[in-house]
Amino acid sequence: MSDIALTSAPAHLRHGSSIGQPLTRRDGPLKVTGEARYAADNHPPGMLFAVLAVSTVARGRVLGFDLAAAKGHPGVVEVMTPVNRPPLAGDPDGKESPFAFRMDVLQNDRVRYPQQPVAVVIAETLEAATEGAALLAPRYEAEPARVGLDGAEPFAPKVVGAGNPASARHGDVESGLRAASHRLEATYETPAQYHNAMEPHAIVAAWDGDTLSIDTPSQGMALTQARIAGLFGIPPAGITIRSPFLGGGFGSKGLLNGPQVLGILAARLVGRPVKLVLRREQMYGPVGHRAPTRQTIRMGTDAGGAFTAIANQARTATSTFDDFIEPAADVAHALYATPALLTGHDAVRLDTGTPMFMRAPGEAPGSIALESAVDEMAEACGMDPLAFRLKNYAEVEPSSGRPFSSKALRECYAQGAERFGWSRRPLAPRRMRDEAGLLVGWGMGTAIFPALMFAGHARAVLKADGTGVVETGAHDMGQGAWTALAQIAADGLGLPLDRIEFRSGHSALPDAGLAGGSAHTATAGVAIDRAGADAIAKLAGLATRDRRSPLFGAGNAGVVARDGRLHRRDDEARSEGYADILARAGLGEIEGRGTGAADPAAQAAFAMHAHGAVFAEVKVDPEFGQVRCTRLVGAFAAGRVVNPRMVRSQYKGGMVWGVSFALHEQAVTDGRTGRVMNANLAEYHVPVNADVPSLEAILVHEHDPHVNPLGIKGVGEIAITGTAGAVANAVWHATGVRCRHFPIGLEQLIGV
Ligand code: MOS
């Protein structure tokens, strides 16, 4: 049957032309004109404003509030505390799944971390709610805060990240180290970081009886909807989530968080729509962060510079009430060939909000440590860092022995090095100065990120007028999903992009899967492509079985969909337009459905990762220790490129974050109070324009026949990895000083 053959036909047989085009963002004009409506832009009739009162202590109990002062303030409508909070059907401290993180939604008087919500003030205006919250003046019974990686006894978690084993062993590391000619043991520290999306977490919630309507930025509408349903004891179908745009998420908007639930509870309490938006400093507590790490890396090589062993034991921190263990050591599993590999994690429980997935969770802190250690090892072997990496190039995944589904890392090294001018690099440090006398250094790092997929669904409709509609509840957090997925949709239906209506960002549409793990384009994209193929297959069935169609009898040869027409594959001159086929069949439209998910057989057979190579130049003031990253070249291979403009933009964004990781970003915690002291964008440093050097991202060609039917790997997170280490290694090359404590600050380099 032709339709069966076509349903399983690879995408390239539906000769599309949209995939691969460097189109600008379809939502760009909406955003630059201010027309794009973000969650907090919604003001349903009768809406009230809710403001959180948050804890100033890290641990203890709330003894009481000045409720009279807050309630008496003009404009204040209600104050929600544990006493009058509407009941929940589900337990916010329950743990129904590893992704159901415990949350603080006024279930009792306990305080578990600073910035924990302890009350919600609801008022006619934002100002009145803010002033009311200030008047609440909570009284606490406080206990000493447990702070820092030495602040508590470590424990051994069973799993890390999204469920990987906490330790992994392959070969015998101790004998590998004993046999080594060159050895390294070094400890690297990375700080806590906070997501700091431009758009703060926000919700506008409105109840109508037992149905709920919310506007909120979400990287995972279906999971969010399911968790709300469980907590409130209502069916998921009774919950509508609109999330057309996110002003950044970085992992912190992936799962339902406490403040979203408090907004919904506040609307329940007052019986009116309520808007709740976090203030910047309130994002440093209940909505996740990247945990700090301390990684002790041991390595050995033989006399020729080939690894005999790699080990990383990582310490991290989680909260006192939930487990999220930053999987920092695991990045070593897939990168360098070694006969012996050992990774492990332990953690301490601190009085902090629970850490969370944050942009390359595990890989980002793990990579800066591993790539620094690799650079130190190359130095110990007297080898150029690129030659050392090529010497230890993994032809199969070292931890599993599986072949790679594709791996164009050699090409990344070659193209990046060529563009950067790496061959002119002196081997020894402190050999280059600029005209102003600043020390100049060149460093490099390898980038790697797994090619993941979640499960997603899509619906495609061909209409009688020859246009198409494609629906999937995808999430555009600024990465360009609206555009890239529409391009895939156009090719999936064999239509030009301007004849496709792409609908997304709404919970009533088919679940597109979580927008995380750099997996969204692959997951939702394959679902869309399959939905298109399904619709086309049905259309082809109508034509090839109808004697009146020029395609009659083409069943065995198959058909090709292109530009709104089906063509016989064996004779492309014989074709028929979609609209004509539908009209003759008397159909107003024809619908296809598709699912995107990882293929377990392919995953068992192949290791799947995107790769890259990043080259960095820094300049260091030898007197003041000031570091500037002046040049970055990254070359990345991540399978098929759906939209080169947007992929390049993702890489550049990741490279900026890598600079941030190496030189700028850290949350500083007060050792006495447990509070983050720089919970604002003035003192929590992220790179500004002046900190961002000349950036170049090279898209290295890579064809992957195994990773998924579209050959797409993720591009969102990989460029943080590699870049941070490259910058750190360039600092060493400039100064001869190894900085193992990140971010690298003046205090580590002053007077070098
Ligand atoms: Mo995310 S941690 O932005 O996948």
Side-chain angles (χ1 to χ4, degrees), residues 317-341:
T318 188
S319 70
T320 56
F321 56 94
D322 211 341
D323 292 334
F324 179 86
I325 311 297
E326 181 80 11
D330 287 356
V331 70
H333 292 173
L335 204 40
Y336 297 107
T338 177
L341 182 65

Side-chain angles (χ1 to χ4, degrees), residues 92-422:
D93 280 314
K95 195 78 186 171
E96 293 80 22
S97 87
F99 290 107
F101 285 91
R102 298 188 170 102
M103 50 177 64
D104 292 280
V105 289
L106 308 179
Q107 59 265 49
N108 50 44
D109 62 2
R110 169 192 65 202
V111 174
R112 317 197 266 202
Y113 52 90
Q115 306 284 6
Q116 178 192 311
V118 294
V120 182
V121 177
I122 306 149
E124 297 287 351
T125 64
L126 176 63
E127 292 75 12
T130 304
E131 289 154 9
L135 291 169
L136 269 177
R139 296 180 304 284
Y140 302 97
E141 178 182 275
E143 297 168 59
R146 289 156 293 194
V147 178
L149 289 170
D150 298 308
E153 275 300 304
F155 71 98
K158 286 200 177 56
V159 295
V160 297
N164 294 345
S167 63
R169 174 190 298 274
H170 159 75
D172 182 349
V173 158
E174 302 309 328
S175 62
L177 288 171
R178 270 197 304 278
S181 304
H182 303 285
R183 283 179 210 95
L184 169 79
E185 174 165 351
T187 298
Y188 304 86
E189 292 212 20
T190 66
Q193 300 179 346
Y194 283 76
H195 300 80
N196 275 307
M198 276 173 71
E199 178 203 26
H201 296 71
I203 187 167
V204 176
W207 288 93
D208 180 3
D210 266 348
T211 65
L212 173 65
S213 164
I214 61 179
D215 297 279
T216 195
S218 173
Q219 295 172 245
M221 284 181 290
L223 283 173
T224 296
Q225 190 188 43
R227 183 102 196 267
I228 295 171
L231 283 172
F232 285 86
I234 56 177
I239 303 164
T240 298
I241 305 176
R242 285 174 298 274
S243 182
F245 304 107
L246 289 80
F250 313 129
S252 76
K253 292 170 182 167
L255 302 164
L256 183 70
N257 58 58
Q260 286 171 311
V261 175
L262 289 170
I264 299 169
L265 283 164
R268 191 68 145 175
L269 181 67
V270 295
R272 286 168 67 176
V274 162
K275 171 156 81 171
L276 190 156
V277 181
L278 294 195
R279 291 210 304 261
R280 180 63 51 180
E281 73 271 19
Q282 294 176 341
M283 294 165 67
Y284 286 69
V287 290
H289 64 283
R290 193 198 298 284
T293 74
R294 179 187 295 151
Q295 302 173 57
T296 301
I297 295 188
R298 295 179 297 151
M299 287 176 167
T301 68
D302 65 17
F307 277 122
T308 57
I310 299 175
N312 185 354
Q313 179 64 33
R315 157 91 37 103
T316 184
T318 188
S319 70
T320 56
F321 56 94
D322 211 341
D323 292 334
F324 179 86
I325 311 297
E326 181 80 11
D330 287 356
V331 70
H333 292 173
L335 204 40
Y336 297 107
T338 177
L341 182 65
L342 177 65
T343 56
H345 298 84
D346 67 14
V348 293
R349 294 199 181 279
L350 304 179
D351 298 307
T352 172
T354 305
M356 184 59 56
F357 302 99
M358 176 164 163
R359 221 66 186 141
E363 288 85 4
S367 167
I368 196 171
L370 181 68
E371 290 303 302
S372 294
V374 165
D375 204 70
E376 296 198 39
M377 204 70 238
E379 181 200 354
C381 295
M383 290 175 72
D384 169 79
L386 176 53
F388 181 78
R389 285 173 170 85
L390 288 168
K391 173 87 187 174
N392 290 290
Y393 195 84
E395 301 292 353
V396 297
E397 188 179 53
S399 59
S400 70
R402 290 177 300 182
F404 293 99
S405 60
S406 63
K407 180 176 178 178
L409 177 56
R410 258 185 234 289
E411 292 75 10
C412 296
Y413 284 142
Q415 291 183 32
E418 168 68 26
R419 184 75 196 166
F420 185 82
W422 183 258

